[in-house]
Amino acid sequence: MPAVELMPFHVKGPSLPELIPGQWDSLIQSSHAASSSANNVAAVLLSEPHFVQVDELISRIQGVVPCPLVGGVAQPNAWGENPWGGQRSLRGALFLGNRTYHEGAVGCFMHGPIQMDALCDQGCRPVGQAATVTSSHGGTILKLDHQTALLVVRQMFQSLSDRDRDMQIQIGLDTLGDGRNFVARNISSFNPSDQSVQVAVADVPEGSVVQLHVRDPHWARHNILKQIQRYISQLPEEVRSNPQQLGSLLYSCVTLAHEEEQMLQDALPKSAFQGAQFQGEFGPVPGGAQTNSFLHSYSSSFGLLRQAF
């Protein structure tokens, strides 16, 4: 895309990436300025599967440079340098230019007359009542609404319909505490001794809202189709009439049916398309702020690129 500057980076931890001198100033100034089609910012991020601080990295990047960000977590066992010897890396392979990395994350800022619209379809449907975390330690929930967490989760489960109980159960976690920004997470374990619930995250802040979610492929398929149709209806007429002006990046969970790829290609048959399968996806929650991305599970994350007008 003409006049768009690419700023690639590699990080080993959650600290902000090192860029060429002056690039951070340029990104910060553009992302905080009034709307300007000439100096927009967008980002793509790819992580290896054992980089557990990727949530913190995303939060730091968007805290400094509020911009749309999409990407995903690579699958383990991809070919890559193995620091313990051999040719295969359990961490997965990350490619940046002509370099291959086995640790941390790689990414790229895009700066200039570019518009990236981020869409994310969660494959998990919220069910039952929500509750607030009133006591926690790391990724362990001790109390919900001042009651033991396991008791409350059991009551949530018992209130579900038979159909929902037969589906795979996840914990929906909203760390913002407003009950509108749920991200599905796996339940790691239940501890009968202290009646706690362990969630597959590094930290569950007190004040977070939780709600059970179920993996529902039919619901997810219907939801992503509505999102794509709504997005296309809001595009400028020039782009709708010339879909070749639109490029699509798709980061999709390996467990999904991947019908969203065909949906997008059917709706925009001449647009450029690139996608890959991941075991964790970065993007906003549906209906949430474009500049507030999370690590999702069982989801599809789109980055739709076009020239800014």
Side-chain angles (χ1 to χ4, degrees), residues 183-235:
V183 177
R185 290 287 185 264
N186 290 323
I187 300 174
S188 299
S189 64
F190 300 107
N191 189 341
S193 63
D194 63 2
Q195 297 287 291
S196 65
V197 177
Q198 177 73 41
V199 185
V201 292
D203 183 52
V204 180
E206 293 183 7
S208 300
V209 177
V210 300
Q211 185 175 4
L212 293 184
H213 283 56
V214 294
R215 291 182 60 185
D216 188 337
H218 177 75
W219 175 86
R221 188 183 309 115
H222 178 70
N223 197 44
I224 189 58
L225 181 58
K226 286 201 306 181
Q227 281 201 63
I228 291 173
Q229 291 173 338
R230 183 167 59 248
Y231 173 74
I232 293 175
S233 71
Q234 295 171 351
L235 284 172

Side-chain angles (χ1 to χ4, degrees), residues 44-68:
V44 173
L45 183 70
L46 304 177
S47 165
E48 51 95 354
H50 298 287
F51 183 29
V52 297
Q53 297 167 305
V54 67
D55 264 331
E56 185 178 347
L57 174 62
I58 292 173
S59 179
R60 287 186 177 180
I61 288 176
Q62 293 189 311
V64 175
V65 181
C67 67

Side-chain angles (χ1 to χ4, degrees), residues 73-75 250-256 258 261 275-279:
V73 179
Q75 300 180 59
L250 171 59
Y251 304 93
S252 183
C253 179
V254 295
T255 65
L256 299 182
H258 308 296
E261 302 173 13
Q277 299 176 14
F278 290 82
Q279 65 169 25

